[in-house]
């Protein structure tokens, strides 16, 4: 019997985020290189309660209300946010997976997703950020949903770079 050795594809965290983001038509992913070592950058970025309201003008407050080990490593979080955006003004509940260089958050019910990923790049950090609508429609309703997803993409293509600019400013000022 001959054993066949199949190729294995391994994705870094940013490639993993790109792959996930490609499945959501109503969002945007943008990337930057932060002027900070990975450990420093991720320590700041993963302090979600403090930093998300600092860099995301749509989030007035974020509180982690539950932490537990995640089966893939890191932590599983339950998060409550208070938002400032007119369309997101109501409190939001999210489930999240937070691990080194990785954060994936999804609202309950699944309507909106947020992802952050980071990789060391010498003495700097490559960083990617994704936000967008997560809902899907049956095939019959997809033509009706297209304008909503297009508007969401348009909004996120403006919102996510503002988040990245605020994050980059933090590391330039340190």
């Amino acid at each position: 019997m001959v054993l066949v050795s199949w190729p294995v594809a391994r994705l870094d965290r940013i490639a993993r985020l790109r792959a996930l983001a490609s499945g959501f038509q109503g969002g945007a992913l943008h990337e930057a290189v932060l002027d900070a070592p990975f450990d420093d950058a991720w320590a700041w970025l993963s302090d979600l309660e403090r930093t998300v309201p600092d860099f995301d003008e749509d989030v007035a407050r974020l509180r982690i209300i539950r932490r537990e080990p995640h089966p893939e490593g890191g932590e599983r979080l339950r998060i409550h946010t208070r938002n400032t955006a007119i369309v997101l003004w109501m409190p939001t509940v999210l489930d999240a997976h937070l691990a080194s260089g990785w954060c994936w958050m999804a609202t309950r019910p699944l309507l909106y997703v947020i992802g952050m990923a980071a990789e060391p790049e010498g003495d700097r950090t490559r960083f990617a950020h994704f936000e967008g609508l997560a809902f899907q429609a049956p095939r019959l309703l997809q033509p009706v949903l297209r304008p909503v997803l297009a508007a969401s993409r348009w909004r996120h293509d403006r919102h996510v770079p503002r988040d990245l600019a605020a994050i980059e400013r933090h590391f330039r000022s340190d």
Side-chain angles (χ1 to χ4, degrees):
M1 177 197 263
V2 176
L3 294 176
V4 176
S5 178
W6 291 95
V8 175
R10 299 209 193 302
L11 301 176
D12 71 17
R13 293 169 286 233
I14 291 176
R16 180 180 176 201
L17 183 59
R18 284 186 204 124
L20 284 171
S22 71
F24 297 98
Q25 298 175 18
L29 181 136
H30 291 268
E31 300 181 29
V33 177
L34 306 176
D35 195 20
F38 175 83
D39 290 338
D40 296 345
W42 193 252
W44 186 81
L45 289 160
S46 64
D47 184 2
L48 302 175
E49 289 180 317
R50 185 173 66 93
T51 59
V52 172
D54 281 351
F55 72 73
D56 190 332
E57 63 190 26
D58 287 348
V59 179
R61 189 186 83 224
L62 183 148
R63 294 288 176 256
I64 298 170
I65 60 167
R66 186 169 69 219
R67 292 177 183 268
E68 58 191 46
H70 192 283
E72 295 176 19
E75 296 179 293
R76 182 185 318 237
L77 308 175
R78 173 70 47 85
I79 296 170
H80 281 186
T81 65
R82 171 100 34 218
N83 303 301
T84 59
I86 198 75
V87 295
L88 302 171
W89 62 267
M90 68 184 95
T92 305
V93 177
L94 300 110
D95 288 325
H97 176 200
L98 179 65
S100 179
W102 179 257
C103 183
W104 181 258
M105 298 181 268
T107 60
R108 296 181 59 162
L110 182 60
L111 297 173
Y112 198 79
V113 290
I114 302 125
M116 297 189 299
E119 288 290 337
E121 188 168 277
D123 61 350
R124 301 172 78 194
T125 302
R126 266 187 321 121
F127 178 71
H129 181 51
F130 171 77
E131 291 191 37
L133 293 178
F135 58 88
Q136 299 291 325
R139 184 178 292 287
L140 187 62
L141 295 178
Q142 286 179 3
V144 174
L145 190 58
R146 264 189 219 110
V148 173
L149 294 173
S152 177
R153 259 190 322 279
W154 180 87
R155 180 193 186 279
H156 288 96
D157 266 333
R158 283 141 189 83
H159 172 79
V160 173
R162 283 195 305 268
D163 288 354
L164 277 178
I167 292 166
E168 288 176 305
R169 275 192 303 279
H170 170 79
F171 290 107
R172 276 196 302 268
S173 65
D174 281 358

